[in-house]
Amino acid sequence: MANGSSPATRPVSGPGSGSLERSEGVRRTVGDFTVPDPVMVCREVDVHYGDKHAIRKVSLDIANNEVIAMIGPSGCGKSTFLRCLNRLNDTIPTARVTGSISLEGRDIYDKRQDVVQLRARVGMVFQKPNPFPKSVYENVAYGPRIHGLAADRTELDEIVQTSLKRAGLWEEVKDRLDQPGTALSGGQQQRLCIARTIAVNPGVILMDEPCSALDPIATARIEDLIDELRQNYAICIVTHSMQQAARVSQRTAYFHLGDLIEVGPTDLIFTNPRHKLTEDYITGRFG
Amino acid sequence: MSEPILSPDTGETAAERTRRLVERGLRRRYRAERRFQAYGIAAISIGLLFIGLLFTSILSSGWTIFTQTYVQLDIEYSPEELGLPENPTVEDLGLADYQALVRVAIRERFPDVEGRANLRELYGLVSSGAQFELRDRAMAKPSLIGKRETLWVPADDRVDQLVKGKIDREEPEDRRGVSDQAVAWIDALTADGRLERRFNRTFFTTGDSREPEQAGVWGAVVGSFLTLVVTLLLSFPIGVAAAVYLEEFAPKNRITDFIEVNINNLAAVPSIVFGLLGLAVFIQLFGLPRSAPLVGGLVLTLMTLPTIIIASRAALKGVPPSIREAALGMGASEVQTVAHHVLPRAMPGMLTGAIIGMARALGESAPLLMIGMVAFIVDIPGGFRDPSTVLPVQVYLWADSPERAFLERTSGAILVLLGFLLLMNATAVVLRQRFERRW
Ligand SMILES: Nc1ncnc2c1ncn2[C@@H]1O[C@H](COP(=O)(O)OP(=O)(O)O)[C@@H](O)[C@H]1O
Ligand SMILES: [Mg+2]
């Protein structure tokens, strides 16, 4: 495919976007990747797995009270980018992250930044529901416990209850809080994972294909939930389903082979993509 | 819709051809499966047969160990026979001649026996341990002096073997080891109800002895127990800690590769080498006592560690990465992730490794020979530094003894060893299930 000088790439306009220098061979991001009041700011983020260059010079802002969807073909680096935001890539020995990512103005890759603190602020929900092999209660109570958020048992009970309520799971599990979380259905498990994540009141929630293992009904419930959670959190969701991106997100970022090709308001991306690759992808020409 | 004709001469369609070929192959596949199952069943049957043979042979020669022949005697604690002074002290009581009381009591029953040789034979019916039993009773209760009491005392091992039928009465006298006269006495005592088989407390409560009827397995049981306590307390925590560090925290580089290769090699080192090492390091260098469960436990720890480390690492590897990601994603530190989620999940596998390691340690004798745990030890060890022996070494010692009665004791000790093993494994299985139930 064409590189940065592809004829489909139109000149980019917008505040703050034009000032970044780009090296050769890297596609410029089409659209405005900045927002007025960002929670997280990523600039020129590169990730290498050993010799493999997984994502290249990705710059993107994450806004408060907004869902941003990351779409793109498999292996284009969506998960890799997402895992940079809570430094989960640190656990992969070969992974090397460069560039700058800041949360509320503080560089999260700074030496003084504690990952524990960061991950308490940036929660994550995974593709495959992965509740701890413990009781429903313990699953939700775990985060508040390790971070010392509850002074006593009553407060912890309260946190567990409100988290489960906000995750829309309370009615279904209130009578079996002491049963294993792994015994719930797939959709319930995923909502349990969401409850577990919001129990520590993070600022940002990362979701890596949270519905890809779920049936349509469970998916619809999670989508409703995401929409509700937007009132309080910044949410980044990776999804393979363009319908889902269209339904839940306000902004969409399209990744392609490690490049962030285009960012923009979801309705514009889906109705009027500016980059040829984005258009090809959303019209189903490849992906 | 017409199907494509594959071969024009037969008019067979592709679907028909597939069906025909699959059907032809199917019969062969079923046959292969049946054959494979038959091999498996045969292998298991052979295994069970040999286990059955093993248990039958051990049980048949060992089950009689539960009883022991006793003789009932009317003992008179006469101060004259004992050679006691006027007002005997406890020390006097300790030094008195109790064998004389036994002799008097037997002669009372067989007054017509004459001649030194015959008398010696008669006295020989009762275990030489009887006098010590009388001494202990008299010393515990000095008021017995001058009184009479009726007691069951152990018979000699040859009497016991004859009563149990292990010595054949039909054999010629010189081959039998028990004279015709003695057989007559034994029958007379049995007819009186003064000779019978009772539960063999001695075997289960005492230490080793030169006399088979006084030899017990308890000393070795306690020795094995103390040794294994040391082994478990050292090898399990150290092994698990090493496995957790290597698997979860250590950087992957040449040094850790080297360590890994060496741990795997250590698991294959013959156990006697660990005994040599223990002798050189623990006894000669550190000056720890010989024959002590402490040193035995240290040596067996060295031997068991590689097994536990390898099993624990495998268990840790088996913990799904999603659990780790979940915990890390929640903001748990690496240590918290391991302690709260990974270790509990890996614990059953680690316990399995510990069971295998401890079972091997329990049955091990070669390295313990090197550090002197093969000595003849009568006393029951009271601590980790007391000289002691262990069950497999006791089996080996008894198997080496010429007396027929020791053969029975050898099987008995093996039974006790197997019982010990079963108890240990049952505990571990229960523990493992507790961990598994916690999801
Ligand atoms: N742990 C890893 N080690 C090496 N390469 C990896 C690793 N994880 C992902 N990659 C590679 O990085 C690229 C991006 O992967 P990923 O972010 O998982 O893609 P996506 O989530 O968009 O499907 C892929 O080419 C993948 O093969
Ligand atoms: Mg992915």
Side-chain angles (χ1 to χ4, degrees), chain A residues 78-79 127 208-209 238:
Chain A
K78 308 177 296 288
S79 301
Q127 178 170 3
D208 193 347
E209 300 181 31
V238 170

Side-chain angles (χ1 to χ4, degrees), chain A residues 83 88 91 116 119 126 130-135 142-143 146-147 178 180 196, chain B residues 322-323 325-333 336-337 340-341 344-345 438-439:
Chain A
R83 292 161 60 97
L88 210 55
T91 58
V116 168
R119 289 176 191 154
F126 296 83
N130 57 354
F132 298 126
K134 294 178 190 290
S135 70
Y142 185 69
I146 57 172
H147 297 302
D178 54 348
R196 176 176 77 182
Chain B
S322 65
I323 301 274
E325 282 200 327
L328 289 172
M330 287 302 300
S333 66
Q336 282 172 328
T337 304
H340 298 165
H341 305 287
R345 275 295 284 258
R438 281 175 48 195
W439 319 298

Side-chain angles (χ1 to χ4, degrees), chain B residues 45-307:
Chain B
S45 312
I46 293 174
L48 283 179
L49 178 75
F50 278 100
I51 289 186
L53 276 178
L54 174 81
F55 274 89
T56 335
S57 84
I58 293 174
L59 272 174
S60 66
S61 62
W63 72 275
T64 47
I65 196 66
F66 287 99
T67 60
Q68 165 77 27
T69 308
Y70 283 75
V71 184
Q72 193 184 40
L73 294 179
D74 300 317
I75 298 289
E76 174 156 12
Y77 294 91
S78 110
E80 298 86 63
E81 290 288 346
L82 284 167
L84 286 176
E86 221 13 53
N87 283 312
T89 61
V90 178
E91 198 176 324
D92 290 331
L93 285 178
L95 294 170
D97 179 13
Y98 293 92
Q99 184 60 33
L101 303 187
V102 176
R103 284 198 292 264
V104 171
I106 305 177
R107 266 186 94 174
E108 220 170 75
R109 173 64 186 74
F110 297 104
D112 357 311
V113 178
E114 301 274 344
R116 272 178 71 87
N118 285 343
L119 278 174
R120 224 187 27 244
E121 176 128 38
L122 180 65
Y123 300 151
L125 290 180
V126 174
S127 162
S128 58
Q131 53 175 315
F132 304 117
E133 237 164 77
L134 297 185
R135 184 190 63 191
D136 293 344
R137 292 180 72 82
M139 285 174 74
K141 200 172 149 200
S143 63
L144 274 176
I145 302 301
K147 301 225 175 63
R148 253 178 108 84
E149 68 173 341
T150 307
L151 273 186
W152 286 96
V153 296
D156 189 65
D157 58 301
R158 287 168 305 124
V159 176
D160 182 52
Q161 295 299 294
L162 187 90
V163 170
K164 285 174 178 167
K166 304 243 164 181
I167 293 178
D168 188 2
R169 280 163 182 265
E170 309 305 323
E171 258 184 293
E173 193 175 5
D174 52 334
R175 296 247 311 270
R176 202 197 292 143
V178 187
S179 65
D180 290 341
Q181 198 177 27
V183 173
W185 290 329
I186 291 168
D187 289 341
L189 282 169
T190 314
D192 283 2
R194 282 183 170 261
L195 191 107
E196 67 179 41
R197 284 165 70 176
R198 329 183 96 213
F199 177 67
N200 190 356
R201 251 189 86 218
T202 318
F203 182 71
F204 295 101
T205 54
T206 64
D208 200 4
S209 168
R210 295 280 182 229
E211 300 295 329
E213 74 275 10
Q214 290 168 54
V217 80
W218 189 244
V221 170
V222 173
S224 270
F225 177 75
L226 293 175
T227 308
L228 287 185
V229 164
V230 174
T231 310
L232 183 66
L233 288 185
L234 289 175
S235 65
F236 192 61
I238 296 177
V240 168
V244 166
Y245 179 74
L246 285 173
E247 200 56 46
E248 303 286 330
F249 298 104
K252 301 277 172 277
N253 57 26
R254 264 183 203 189
I255 300 172
T256 43
D257 281 353
F258 180 74
I259 291 173
E260 181 164 352
V261 168
N262 275 293
I263 288 173
N264 292 342
N265 282 342
L266 276 181
V269 166
S271 57
I272 195 151
V273 176
F274 291 107
L276 282 168
L277 181 76
L279 177 66
V281 175
F282 301 129
I283 294 180
Q284 282 160 9
L285 198 65
F286 294 172
L288 292 175
R290 286 179 143 270
S291 311
L294 177 65
V295 181
L298 285 168
V299 167
L300 293 180
T301 298
L302 293 181
M303 195 196 80
T304 321
L305 261 179
T307 314

Side-chain angles (χ1 to χ4, degrees), chain A residues 138-181:
Chain A
E138 285 303 320
N139 262 284
V140 185
Y142 185 69
R145 257 208 193 115
I146 57 172
H147 297 302
L149 301 185
D152 53 24
R153 181 74 190 205
T154 34
E155 207 183 329
L156 193 59
D157 287 349
E158 219 172 278
I159 295 178
V160 170
Q161 188 172 342
T162 42
S163 307
L164 284 170
K165 276 183 177 153
R166 281 162 71 191
L169 192 59
W170 175 252
E171 288 305 317
E172 289 156 66
V173 299
K174 66 180 178 201
D175 300 323
R176 37 179 182 156
L177 289 177
D178 54 348
Q179 279 175 29

